[in-house]
Amino acid sequence: MLDLFEQGMVKSNLIELTSELGELFSQYWLKIVPFDRRGNIVLPFFHLRSEGFWHLLPRTNQEGALNAASQMRSLSQLREMVIGARLDDALYNILRAREPRDLLRSVLIQTYFAPELQVLLVEQGAINYESFLYSKKLLEQHEQQVIRETLEDTYRYAARDQGFRRAVVIVYAHRCALCGIRVRTLDGHTVVTAAHIIPWSIGHDDRPANGMALCRTCHWVFDEGLLSVSLTYEILASSQLRVADNLPGYLTSLEGRGIARPVERVYWPEPESLKWHRKHIFRRN
Ligand SMILES: [Zn+2]
């Protein structure tokens, strides 16, 4: 939540259960809890009400059910009952200003987490903010030179990686450019990842126009050169998809279909990047 204040995403005293909040929650969770224990944002969102500063706002006719509920397991159940949470006005005002907000963040981290976790949480907070700024820059500046010269050295790897992903996933609205699927969980996990068309290690180019949102399968297939994209944005399929024991399923049916493109033309895949992919990565035969 502090991150959302930092990014200027909280415009009024109503904390909603958005996918952005869910994603940020997951990022911190993954840093500090063993891998096999999946986080559930519903638990803190619901149970913080007993802390006194966090007031759940019931939807119409849900007040009785909400007051009677002693626990809440699923996000859909919580969303059916509440619009969001309102903070005490005094706390809300504290969170709107950077200095007291940063102070509160440190106090919370130092009070509730072991020293070895404190470092990770502070670092993740910095990465979240940096990646947010980076994605904003990527979405605003389209000139390749500008990106390369001013941004490459300014941001650490994790922030660049996360910022590139954020920018690409936003412009593709969570849709896989190749197969077209879009699937999100209620807490913001998405089926797509952000793929570089020309890899970063070669092109140092994080512009959304050198990226595509791809689902896990399409990402792997694209990086392996089994699918590519033509000059006219149609999908090209390698004949290797069909060899031997392969069972490529729907992948072969994508051949000749147009890719899903961002609404804004400036973010469409750069013809030069696609050309590079066809020449250096695509296994035509
Ligand atoms: Zn896909």
Side-chain angles (χ1 to χ4, degrees), residues 176 178-181 214-215 217-218 250:
C176 175
L178 295 180
C179 73
I181 70 166
L214 297 177
C215 73
T217 305
C218 289
Y250 64 88

Side-chain angles (χ1 to χ4, degrees), residues 47 55 113 149 168 203 227 233:
H47 289 290
H55 311 284
F113 296 91
E149 284 169 10
V168 170
L227 290 179
Y233 297 108

Side-chain angles (χ1 to χ4, degrees), residues 85-142:
R86 194 177 56 76
L87 302 168
D88 277 348
D89 286 333
L91 176 59
Y92 176 66
N93 287 328
I94 284 176
L95 294 181
R96 288 170 71 190
R98 166 163 287 168
E99 241 174 74
R101 185 174 60 226
D102 287 350
L103 185 62
L104 179 60
R105 183 193 286 264
S106 329
V107 170
L108 286 173
I109 290 177
Q110 284 167 24
T111 308
Y112 293 105
F113 296 91
E116 63 271 24
L117 298 180
Q118 291 174 11
V119 184
L120 298 175
L121 289 168
V122 169
E123 191 191 25
Q124 188 60 45
I127 290 171
N128 286 348
Y129 189 55
E130 252 180 56
S131 71
F132 169 75
L133 294 179
Y134 187 56
S135 67
K136 248 178 90 176
K137 285 217 165 78
L138 292 176
L139 292 170
E140 284 162 3
Q141 302 177 0
H142 311 302

Side-chain angles (χ1 to χ4, degrees), residues 197 229 231 270-280:
I197 301 173
V229 179
L231 191 63
E270 183 111 325
E272 280 304 310
S273 298
L274 293 174
K275 191 173 159 192
W276 183 93
H277 187 269
R278 289 194 300 275
K279 186 170 174 209
H280 296 283

